[in-house]
Amino acid sequence: MVEINKTKDADGYDRFKIITDTGSFDIMFGGNLDLYWSYWPEEDFEDWPLSKTFTITKENYFLYQKIDELYKNIKEQRPYPKTDKDDYTSFLKELNSSNSNESKKIDYAYEKLFQNSIIKWYSDDMPLENASSLEIKKQEDIYSITFFQGKEEYDFPTYSVRFRNSGSRYHPYNFAFMNMYNSLSEYDPNYHQIHIEEYLYTKKLQKLKK
């Protein structure tokens, strides 16, 4: 089971609860104009895990497709909305030709963000040593999303991951996550047409259960 619960917050921004067989997590836009992915454990406080993994399958192809687009845009170094790799490569060449340090910063951000085919984002809220983090990993026809526990003020544990739209350590890849959030807003819970990929994935699961 993979579902999207779309609601509006007090400021009128879309908020998404991603529901899976192993629990749920939220994707939301804050009043500070930054993006957040967050998880709140169901266990008692003393039993909170160091990490929590969710599996996104093609059972909900709309969501799977949005995660897939996010992953590919980062992997192929396309942080900005609706740009192809050739456009981005030309952009970097222009930066280099103007002797700007910006391209070096972008390359450095990419090297820290995407390693061994895994996206690993440390929250922009805290220094790395205390920051919670989010990991997105592609595994055949599924994506695993893992939240790693960090520490807030007074060492209170947190799984909330902040994507600053100003001053992010991974700039400009915050735009890739914002673009994914904006594209989620296209989701209409009252009209969900079954995609052929969902049908094929369901058939695959049925065969495996036999």
Side-chain angles (χ1 to χ4, degrees), residues 171-185:
H171 175 81
Y173 290 95
N174 52 295
F175 289 113
F177 281 88
M178 273 304 304
N179 190 43
M180 182 267 187
Y181 167 82
N182 289 330
S183 67
L184 276 178
S185 296

Side-chain angles (χ1 to χ4, degrees), residues 66-183:
K66 299 308 177 185
I67 298 293
D68 187 57
E69 290 172 357
L70 169 66
Y71 181 87
K72 289 178 178 176
N73 283 338
I74 291 178
K75 178 182 178 180
E76 298 170 9
Q77 301 182 52
R78 295 182 298 182
Y80 298 106
K82 298 181 180 179
T83 60
D84 58 36
K85 193 169 183 179
D86 291 336
D87 290 339
Y88 187 60
T89 300
S90 298
F91 170 67
L92 290 181
K93 286 181 178 178
E94 289 179 8
L95 288 177
N96 283 324
S97 64
S98 63
N99 295 319
S100 172
N101 289 323
E102 189 65 23
S103 63
K104 293 181 180 179
K105 293 179 181 178
I106 293 173
D107 287 341
Y108 179 78
Y110 176 76
E111 291 170 3
K112 293 297 182 182
L113 178 60
F114 194 79
Q115 298 182 22
N116 301 317
S117 298
I118 298 174
I119 296 171
K120 185 67 174 283
W121 185 290
Y122 285 88
S123 178
D124 283 321
D125 254 341
M126 303 289 287
L128 285 177
E129 59 268 22
N130 293 323
S132 52
S133 61
L134 178 76
E135 182 178 283
I136 302 176
K137 183 178 181 180
K138 183 174 177 59
Q139 299 171 299
E140 196 175 346
D141 55 356
I142 69 171
Y143 278 97
S144 65
I145 297 176
T146 303
F147 290 82
F148 293 90
Q149 186 186 112
K151 301 294 182 183
E152 290 184 317
E153 193 174 5
Y154 306 114
D155 286 336
F156 189 81
T158 179
Y159 305 85
S160 179
V161 177
R162 182 179 185 176
F163 303 80
R164 285 186 181 271
N165 283 313
S166 177
S168 172
R169 60 167 60 93
Y170 300 106
H171 175 81
Y173 290 95
N174 52 295
F175 289 113
F177 281 88
M178 273 304 304
N179 190 43
M180 182 267 187
Y181 167 82
N182 289 330
S183 67

